[in-house]
Amino acid sequence: DILVVASAGNGGLNIGERKNRRFPASLEAENLIVAAATDADERKMPRSNYLESALGAPGDAIPTLDLTGENGVLSD
């Protein structure tokens, strides 16, 4: 009864293929959602791994605060 969200990771691989499986994103579990990285135009980033059933999540130019409270931008 726990939802698990896992990053697809980086490498540009289809992690649904047996030879490219990556833990934990390639586990076959009903409670697992896999997130691939997307760019500002909502396209999959070339270096993001992916699955046919993965959803997209921002992975580039993410506004954030660093540990000192300063504004910054992070990329996958």
Side-chain angles (χ1 to χ4, degrees):
D1 293 339
I2 297 173
L3 177 64
V4 177
V5 180
S7 167
N10 294 322
L13 302 172
N14 177 351
I15 59 174
E17 294 179 359
R18 187 168 188 78
K19 66 181 179 178
N20 296 331
R21 299 227 170 176
R22 299 293 187 268
F23 178 81
S26 294
L27 291 175
E28 294 182 17
E30 292 180 14
N31 62 331
L32 177 67
I33 294 175
V34 178
T38 59
D39 63 16
D41 295 319
E42 299 181 5
R43 294 178 299 209
K44 184 190 77 64
M45 294 181 65
R47 66 182 174 267
S48 179
N49 291 338
Y50 59 95
L51 278 170
E52 187 175 311
S53 61
L55 59 84
D60 190 38
I62 303 166
T64 189
L65 292 175
D66 65 21
L67 294 175
T68 66
E70 295 293 317
N71 291 323
V73 176
L74 296 176
S75 292
D76 180 39

